[in-house]
Amino acid sequence: MDKQIPCSSPLNALFPRELEGFDMLAELALDLRWSWNHAADEIWRKLDPQLWSLTHNPWGVLQTVSREHIAKLLADPVYRTLLDTLVKTKREAAESPGWFQQTYPDSALNTVAYFSMEFMLSDALPIYSGGLGNVAGDQLKAANDLGVPVIGVGLLYQQGYFRQIIDTNGVQQAVYPYNDPGQLPISPLRHANGEWLRIKLDLPGHPIWLRAWQVQVGRTKLYLLDSNDTANYAPFRAITSELYGGSADLRLMQELVLGIGGWRLLNALGIEPEVCHLNEGHASFAILERARCFMQKTGLSFSAALVATRAGNVFTTHTAVEAGFDRFAPALIEQWLGDYANVELGISTAELLALGQEDSCHAGDDFNMAYLAIRGSGAVNGVSALHGEVSRRLFASLFPRWPLDEIPIGHVTNGVHTPSWDSAGADELWTKACGKERWLGTIDELGKSIRAVSNKELWHFRTAASQTFVTYVREHLVRQMAASGTPQPEMEEAQHLFDPHVLTLGFARRFATYKRPNLLLQDPARLLRLLTNPERPVQLILAGKAHPADSAGQALIQQWVQFIRQPQVRQHVIFLSDYDMFLSEHLVAGVDVWLNTPQRPWEASGTSGMKVLVNGGINLSELDGWWAEAYSPDIGWALGDGKEHGNDPAWDAIEAEALYDLLEQEVIPEFYQRDTQGIPVAWTTRMRESMARLTPLFSTNRVVREYTEQRYLPAAEAFRARAADNGEVAQQIANWQQALEQQWAGLRVDGFTARQEGNHYLFAANVLLNGLAPEDVNVELYANGCDGGDAIRQSMDCAYLPDDNRGAHLYRITLPALHALSQYTLRIIPSREGVSIPLEVNHILWEH
Ligand SMILES: *Cc1c(COP(=O)(O)O)cnc(C)c1O
């Protein structure tokens, strides 16, 4: 990078630079590597043991502890040696070549920019709500582990997502603590002369000024933008105030800041990513800005620039319902982006709108951010195999007349960053079995090593986890009770709730109705019997927030709190408030069984169940999201029949019955069935198989390698090929698209014949290409697959070329007579090497 490029200045001006060694403490505290690597924990514990155990936030500890105490510790040679060693190790880890450098030393991939509305990296940086941020944060961490050159781009929220208080009546209150940037582990991005790096968006009325921040995540970086700049029109300072709050206007402005501002920031930093990964449609405006920058560089038109740049864009959709996509009224898009389209992109407002509408003939349709993402990307995927299927249905209307299985949306099933979610005990167990470096390369052998761990060792590990868990739950509960004004006797009682020897079920997630957090409450009397069975008792831990605008979700919280208030229940069910990453870490490490009860297919993936795997927890879940592909009878339990029943109360009742049965007849007996040494052998056997088989598979290690090999590397190459020589190939493809657009309607099949000869069929067709060349199209025979099998697609050979290409071309093919003749139809689709059909060109002609 040249000298003009701004860089982050890690130290707050108020920091005691004169304190020798302090800069190293700050360097460690500002690198979120501590969120998964616990080598430095001792450093922070020594600074303030109590604050450390309460927060696990090194940056917070460092800012709170007195300077005298820091000076004293830094003067201690033992402490100082440890600090020196840790900083050295950290720097070496950042420099050493990772899996990516070793496997792809000459790759065309230098930078992937990963755009996301939220990132869940640590509670020290509360700029997330839940699942989506979890996926983003965990992938960034795994990219670090593997050396994949990913840079995150997101927003710095002044308040972020709400924090939850539940009053004694079970009513959720939303509160919004202020994220003081000075207290967050982030650094401002500044020019060399100390000036703040600011990004400007010219919008009608007022410009928006954005400030830029950097978060260090091992060797990877996350850049954040916020609009809280004094130069802004005052209401605009609130654009980046809340996550998932406010009106459609505000959401649109946030998405402009993320997409357009984010891409501009990369530009200002001199970063030119080959690949732009859009984590959900929120950041789709980056597509426009990326194309605009390419126009500026090459002089190409918007459409040719989009052809070039979209090859390098990867879109991951996370939504399983139509209503989940962000949409904006056309007037709103026109108001904020009309000038940008006309002046900067050189396209009409209608052309801009068409990028986000299902059908440009319906000019009044909302602008759908996911549609823009699909029209501006070279690859699209859902987040589990089932969600891929659901997404092909959701987006089928963008590819009219194409068979569902050819809708160009694949899947990369989510995973979790295992080192962030394993407990200290689990880390110890896995390190003994598989070594310290186990998540830094390929992970094919991990299962084998875990299978060698004995039942006794596994059970010992789980018993210790239960102890730690119960202690944590009691402490958390007492703190939360104090905050909601609980009387003293109840708080005393709380210190004795739960029992480490009792089977613990856990359910923690967003309280949304489709997740059915109240499924277990369908028959409260039966649940009560199940919990309080004197021989085989059960305890249940719950947590979760409902969006402040979701009153149905809030009512579900209240329903549980009221159930728990019964004296005979209290010992057995606890609802912990303010579900966040820190709480989640403790829950997934402590529970024996993780419950998940969504209405299929509305859980796109789900990740919380993956977090229990490394810790020896077992999943009992609806066959939805990741579990639909992970489940087998020897590794956990399944709910539902693997079919979709929508929002049907009768079906909910059936599934609730099935859930009680499963618990009573299988889960609970297996847990309490002990051998002479007190070990539940069937349980530990199931647990070991779940750990061995599923932990590696549902880790972001696997996910990031899959994205890298299947999406990033091909995308980088395709982008480079199209962008070379001022976008020469892109211009050719754009011309070709235009020719197809003009000629396609005139394409004709003039006679399609089929006859049988022995055990073969002979097909022939005369095709009038209307000025297109034979290499522009594929003429295919098509038959639906039998019994759910794959469809048959066979290209026909062009057997006769007329002198004048306006004449009929003869296509022929001979096939074994496997299906009835009537099953075959002929179709014509566009074809060009390196162009993704139907993603980039969706014409199709059927001849029946
Ligand atoms: C893992 C996690 C989530 C996402 O879990 P789901 O299974 O997708 O519901 C949400 N919030 C927090 C705090 C988490 O740790």
Side-chain angles (χ1 to χ4, degrees), residues 646-659:
N647 187 10
D648 174 9
W651 181 255
D652 290 347
I654 292 172
E655 287 210 338
E657 288 291 312
L659 177 55

Side-chain angles (χ1 to χ4, degrees), residues 501-797:
H501 305 293
V502 165
L503 170 65
T504 307
L505 314 179
F507 181 97
R509 49 184 36 81
R510 202 153 49 82
F511 269 55
T513 46
Y514 82 87
K515 297 210 181 209
R516 295 187 295 189
N518 59 339
L519 195 66
L520 268 177
L521 281 176
Q522 284 257 348
D523 184 348
R526 187 162 176 195
L527 175 62
L528 186 62
R529 283 199 302 278
L530 189 153
L531 294 166
T532 56
N533 178 329
E535 267 99 64
R536 294 165 165 182
V538 175
Q539 57 202 13
L540 172 63
I541 186 83
L542 298 156
K545 300 173 175 181
H547 190 277
D550 177 9
S551 50
Q554 289 170 43
L556 297 176
I557 295 176
Q558 200 166 13
Q559 207 183 333
W560 268 114
V561 172
Q562 272 158 9
F563 177 75
I564 297 169
R565 271 170 149 199
Q566 304 171 74
Q568 65 276 39
V569 176
R570 237 183 266 157
Q571 173 66 27
H572 297 271
V573 188
I574 293 175
F575 195 114
L576 293 183
S577 63
D578 201 33
Y579 181 44
D580 66 0
M581 192 180 173
F582 197 38
L583 173 53
S584 175
E585 271 170 47
H586 286 92
L587 297 185
V588 299
V591 302
D592 298 302
V593 175
W594 193 253
L595 295 176
N596 192 17
T597 53
Q599 282 164 333
R600 182 177 153 129
W602 292 323
E603 179 101 310
S605 162
T607 49
S608 55
M610 302 173 184
K611 297 170 192 163
V612 306
L613 299 171
V614 68
N615 296 304
I618 303 178
N619 281 275
L620 189 176
S621 168
E622 177 75 31
L623 285 169
D624 194 10
W626 77 284
W627 194 240
E629 69 200 77
Y631 169 75
S632 73
D634 55 336
I635 50 174
W637 295 279
L639 195 60
D641 58 358
K643 296 200 178 86
E644 276 122 59
H645 300 270
N647 187 10
D648 174 9
W651 181 255
D652 290 347
I654 292 172
E655 287 210 338
E657 288 291 312
L659 177 55
Y660 296 126
D661 289 346
L662 196 54
L663 289 168
E664 284 166 359
Q665 292 159 21
E666 296 189 36
V667 180
I668 300 171
E670 190 167 303
F671 183 84
Y672 286 108
Q673 176 92 51
R674 306 295 166 95
D675 71 359
T676 49
Q677 290 181 289
I679 298 169
V681 177
W683 189 276
T684 47
T685 305
R686 185 187 296 275
M687 171 179 150
R688 178 169 34 239
E689 203 46 33
S690 155
M691 291 171 86
R693 217 184 311 157
L694 302 185
T695 314
L697 207 51
F698 296 95
S699 68
T700 41
N701 173 299
R702 189 268 305 154
V703 174
V704 171
R705 283 185 295 121
E706 213 168 301
Y707 273 118
T708 303
E709 295 181 326
Q710 297 176 10
R711 318 274 147 160
Y712 299 160
L713 287 168
E717 239 167 74
F719 166 67
R720 280 179 185 268
R722 289 186 185 187
D725 301 319
N726 272 335
E728 196 182 325
V729 171
Q731 184 64 63
Q732 287 162 3
I733 295 173
N735 295 347
W736 176 71
Q737 283 176 333
Q738 205 178 0
L740 283 177
E741 204 58 53
Q742 284 161 4
Q743 309 303 335
W744 193 266
L747 221 57
R748 290 274 177 278
V749 178
D750 182 16
F752 170 45
T753 59
R755 68 188 159 83
Q756 188 158 9
E757 217 165 74
N759 52 3
H760 282 80
Y761 294 139
L762 273 59
F763 297 96
N766 277 320
V767 179
L768 285 155
L769 291 177
N770 193 32
L772 294 171
E775 56 271 24
D776 292 336
V777 296
N778 236 347
V779 178
E780 297 179 337
L781 265 194
Y782 181 94
N784 283 319
C786 303
D787 305 324
D790 289 340
I792 296 173
R793 281 177 61 181
Q794 293 284 344
S795 278
M796 297 176 77
D797 299 317

